[in-house]
Amino acid sequence: MTDKLFTTGNDMRRAVEAYATHLQNIAQIFETHARNLDLGIRLDVSEVAAAARRGADFPKVMRFVRRPDDSGVLHDAQLMTALDCIRNILISPDQNGLVLGAMQSGKTTTSLAMQFAGPIVYLLTGRRLYPIYLITSQTSQEDQTRQEIARFLDFYGEVSIVLD
């Protein structure tokens, strides 16, 4: 969306609804897959979506709808893969994991979704878990990863993980 599209209140409402709908879709995917894995947790996006609808987070909404690409944005497959990994962490706590895949295959966002692992493992077991990101020292890849982390936290950093 370009700046000239945001000239009316309706345009702004559509932008807010696009972000809120995305959050609700992610929460539904999270809940369905977490239920299939018998995790007993869900993602609560109601406060974040409500804040966006009140206009409290309009700058975040604008960053979401005007983003140049999908870096930092969760998609179904990435979220479900992260939940699969989190389940494995819960049933095999002595195991460590590494996200591998082809270039541009969604590794970074899948890894970013592992940010949810810390709160989930803590809620369910009381154990503290800290995901670690290993990236090359190549400036372009480091910059891309930093940008994706910043976007991910901007879009999803305030959602809540709750016991179901």
Side-chain angles (χ1 to χ4, degrees), residues 102-118:
M103 288 182 65
Q104 300 301 315
S105 64
K107 295 179 306 295
T108 302
T109 307
T110 300
S111 297
L112 292 175
M114 291 301 293
Q115 289 288 325
F116 295 135

Side-chain angles (χ1 to χ4, degrees), residues 39-66:
L39 290 176
I41 52 161
R42 64 182 174 81
L43 200 61
D44 183 359
V45 299
S46 59
E47 294 287 325
V48 180
R53 287 182 175 119
R54 284 192 312 271
D57 284 336
F58 197 66
K60 178 191 304 187
V61 170
M62 298 314 297
R63 286 189 296 276
F64 180 81
V65 297
R66 289 184 177 161

Side-chain angles (χ1 to χ4, degrees), residues 25-43 75-88 120 164:
N25 290 339
I26 289 299
Q28 182 60 49
I29 292 160
F30 185 102
E31 184 175 336
T32 299
H33 199 60
R35 186 174 295 129
N36 290 341
L37 296 173
D38 202 26
L39 290 176
I41 52 161
R42 64 182 174 81
L43 200 61
H75 296 281
D76 306 14
Q78 296 159 334
L79 181 57
M80 290 187 292
T81 299
L83 285 171
D84 291 340
C85 293
I86 292 167
R87 182 179 180 276
N88 288 336
I120 291 169
D164 194 15

